[in-house]
Amino acid sequence: MARRQAYDIDAPWVDPCEARREERRRALRFAAQLKLDIAVDTPEAGGRLVGPGVVRDLSEGGVQVITKHRLAPSQRVTVSIPADRALQGPVPRRSFIGSARVVRVKERDNRCSDVALRFCDDFTDDMEFTLFVEHLRQVSEFRQRSAV
């Protein structure tokens, strides 16, 4: 009969029910000072509701904003990011417009929410948008180094 090995109670184990501490994002997020517009289809009102969002952080794959919009996870929205207001000098286009999906909503107070949006393919497949985000990241890093 084969002898069983003793169970090592000190061996590392990843509990699938515990919150993960490591970074799971595919793209690096950075602080950005930017205002964008969020549009939501409102069939009950027969149109679209457009309102502002203030960017907290941004990446090639998504954005976290503070907004007064009442959004829900998995909801699809249209986002307009004004390139001409974000950058000094010539820009490839005045704004980037595309779809995003609401990933997470966290109430801040009774008026505003922190909303995490994941960009859809019309953003992530756009090379000009990728270069725009990379430029904003470099500006953000420069500001952080200059502030020290």
Side-chain angles (χ1 to χ4, degrees):
M1 186 160 149
R3 188 173 170 178
R4 292 208 264 177
Q5 285 185 308
Y7 182 74
D8 182 3
I9 61 171
D10 295 321
W13 182 68
V14 178
D15 186 344
C17 297
E18 287 184 16
R20 294 187 179 154
R21 306 251 189 272
E22 75 271 4
E23 182 63 48
R24 294 184 302 170
R25 294 181 182 113
R26 291 181 214 145
L28 177 68
R29 288 189 182 254
F30 58 91
Q33 297 176 350
L34 186 61
K35 193 173 181 182
L36 52 75
D37 289 321
I38 302 169
V40 180
D41 289 326
T42 55
E44 63 277 355
R48 294 190 109 178
L49 178 64
V50 179
V54 177
V55 174
R56 293 191 55 172
D57 58 52
L58 176 69
S59 77
E60 293 173 24
V63 63
Q64 183 174 2
V65 298
I66 300 169
T67 184
K68 291 182 181 179
H69 270 302
R70 296 291 174 215
L71 302 173
S74 79
Q75 184 176 6
R76 193 177 183 103
V77 298
T78 301
V79 179
S80 176
I81 302 173
D84 57 350
R85 285 188 266 159
L87 300 175
Q88 309 267 323
V91 291
R93 55 180 106 149
R94 291 189 62 197
S95 62
F96 293 96
I97 300 171
S99 300
R101 187 150 315 270
V102 177
V103 177
R104 183 176 55 259
V105 178
K106 182 180 175 190
E107 296 291 323
R108 287 184 133 235
D109 54 36
N110 60 356
R111 298 178 312 148
C112 296
S113 300
D114 286 325
V115 178
L117 302 172
R118 179 177 296 131
F119 295 136
C120 296
D121 291 345
D122 38 1
F123 277 118
T124 58
D125 292 346
D126 184 343
M127 184 55 75
E128 286 182 346
F129 179 71
T130 300
L131 293 172
F132 168 74
V133 172
E134 176 60 21
H135 183 77
L136 288 178
R137 185 189 63 75
Q138 291 174 0
V139 169
S140 176
E141 287 179 0
F142 176 77
R143 285 182 177 153
Q144 287 178 347
R145 283 192 307 268
S146 299
V148 174

